[in-house]
């Protein structure tokens, strides 16, 4: 169907509040109000536990659970739940690009120090079969935007998925989630001395990012930072 006809039947809506967008707003994915008052996770609040912290991103208490050096999330999951769904399942490349730009805005605003230390950006990999079925890896789109904005290279070939796994959301216990991802990832290159930024769309229990981080450290990475578009923690 022609794009103008589609827009007539399904007018584009704000990715956050679902208000129909006017012509000018349609260049982006947000209405004026949402664009002005971006509902980022506030600085000083941990996106994982909702507790108070002195910095932007995960608090020290939460970080103890994980192998990575630091982690942050731009939005509480509920805020961007609809947008992520549209992006993942309807192949909304434009929405993905828009979300990637919002993530880049957030990183520049709150995590300049991390961007300055990062050698390159990596994405949590999908199994090639799953990627083929979906047509794309949604996190690649976020990485491409982040890379375009910051100038950091996006190395999509370094962290790969070796085997298919069950969806983490279908597993109840943390042991099952860890077991499911055991030996699921591999690193294809020596990372000695490298500081890398691992990007994902939704941080839930963190098992996936943690398993990826462990693999990156095994390959010699000096520091692994994690940045997610959203966190489905206590804030959501
Ligand atoms: Zn809105
Ligand atoms: Zn916390």
């Amino acid at each position: 169907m022609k794009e103008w006809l589609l827009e007539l039947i399904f007018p584009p809506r704000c990715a956050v509040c679902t208000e129909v967008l006017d012509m000018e707003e349609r260049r982006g994915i947000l209405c004026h109000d949402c664009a002005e008052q971006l509902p980022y996770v506030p600085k000083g609040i941990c996106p994982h536990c909702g507790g108070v912290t002195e910095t932007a991103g995960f608090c020290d208490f939460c970080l103890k659970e994980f192998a990575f050096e630091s982690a942050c999330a731009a939005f509480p999951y509920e805020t961007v739940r609809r947008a992520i769904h549209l992006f993942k399942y309807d192949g909304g490349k434009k929405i993905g690009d828009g979300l990637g730009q919002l993530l880049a805005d957030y990183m520049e605003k709150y995590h300049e120090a991390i961007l300055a230390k990062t050698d390159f950006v990596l994405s949590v990999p999908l199994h090639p079969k799953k990627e083929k079925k979906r047509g794309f890896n949604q996190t690649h789109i976020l990485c491409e935007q982040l890379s375009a904005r910051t100038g950091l290279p996006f190395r999509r070939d370094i962290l790969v998925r070796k085997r298919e796994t069950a969806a983490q959301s279908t597993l109840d216990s943390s042991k099952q989630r860890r077991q499911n991802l055991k030996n699921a990832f591999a690193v294809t290159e020596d990372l000695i001395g490298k500081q890398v930024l691992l990007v994902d769309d939704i941080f839930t229990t963190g098992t996936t990012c943690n398993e990826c981080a462990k693999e990156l450290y095994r390959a010699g990475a000096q520091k692994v930072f994690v940045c997610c578009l959203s966190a489905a923690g206590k804030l959501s």
Side-chain angles (χ1 to χ4, degrees):
M1 209 186 290
K2 292 262 189 299
E3 200 175 330
W4 65 267
L5 190 56
L6 264 177
E7 286 206 0
L8 199 69
I9 308 170
F10 305 107
R13 289 170 184 273
C14 170
V16 169
C17 74
T18 76
E19 195 73 35
V20 172
L21 300 180
D22 67 28
M23 281 310 174
E24 201 198 324
E25 291 166 339
R26 283 180 197 183
R27 279 186 281 158
I29 60 166
L30 298 177
C31 69
H32 287 305
D33 291 347
C34 289
E36 229 159 74
Q37 294 248 322
L38 267 180
Y40 284 134
V41 175
K43 197 174 181 176
I45 300 288
C46 169
H48 192 48
C49 71
V52 177
T53 159
E54 279 177 12
T55 51
F58 282 34
C59 69
D60 291 343
F61 183 76
C62 286
L63 283 175
K64 278 197 191 116
E65 275 180 57
F66 303 109
F68 38 77
E69 176 77 13
S70 73
C72 61
F75 297 99
Y77 176 60
E78 272 310 307
T79 310
V80 286
R81 187 176 58 85
R82 180 179 163 277
I84 291 181
H85 193 86
L86 286 175
F87 167 35
K88 260 186 164 166
Y89 299 103
D90 297 337
K93 170 92 167 67
K94 188 183 170 197
I95 292 183
D97 287 342
L99 290 172
Q101 284 167 19
L102 295 177
L103 179 64
D105 288 342
Y106 167 79
M107 289 305 288
E108 283 184 333
K109 193 169 174 195
Y110 293 130
H111 300 284
E112 231 182 334
I114 287 178
L115 294 176
K117 283 187 268 188
T118 298
D119 290 304
F120 48 79
V121 174
L122 299 165
S123 137
V124 169
L126 283 178
H127 190 273
K129 245 190 207 165
K130 200 165 173 189
E131 189 168 332
K132 202 167 171 200
K133 197 169 150 205
R134 194 178 277 168
F136 62 100
N137 176 341
Q138 70 279 3
T139 314
H140 280 179
I141 297 179
L142 301 178
C143 286
E144 279 160 8
Q145 291 297 329
L146 193 59
S147 167
R149 175 80 67 80
T150 58
L152 292 170
F154 166 34
R155 298 289 312 273
R156 67 182 71 209
D157 48 335
I158 286 183
L159 183 61
V160 296
R161 202 178 271 255
K162 285 195 289 191
R163 58 178 179 82
E164 280 185 279
T165 53
Q168 287 294 92
S169 53
T170 61
L171 305 170
D172 298 327
S173 75
S174 61
K175 196 176 163 200
Q176 281 177 322
R177 286 193 295 268
R178 274 199 311 276
Q179 210 64 40
N180 183 43
L181 292 181
K182 206 169 174 202
N183 299 322
F185 303 106
V187 175
T188 59
E189 198 170 289
D190 198 327
L191 296 181
I192 291 172
K194 299 289 183 212
Q195 309 206 66
V196 302
L197 181 60
L198 178 67
V199 179
D200 204 1
D201 55 351
I202 311 168
F203 192 103
T204 312
T205 62
T207 316
T208 309
C209 285
N210 204 39
E211 291 306 311
C212 289
K214 283 190 208 161
E215 214 46 57
L216 292 163
Y217 281 122
R218 246 175 246 142
Q222 190 188 355
K223 277 182 182 159
V224 178
F225 310 111
V226 170
C227 105
C228 294
L229 178 67
S230 69
K234 300 250 163 58
L235 285 177
S236 286

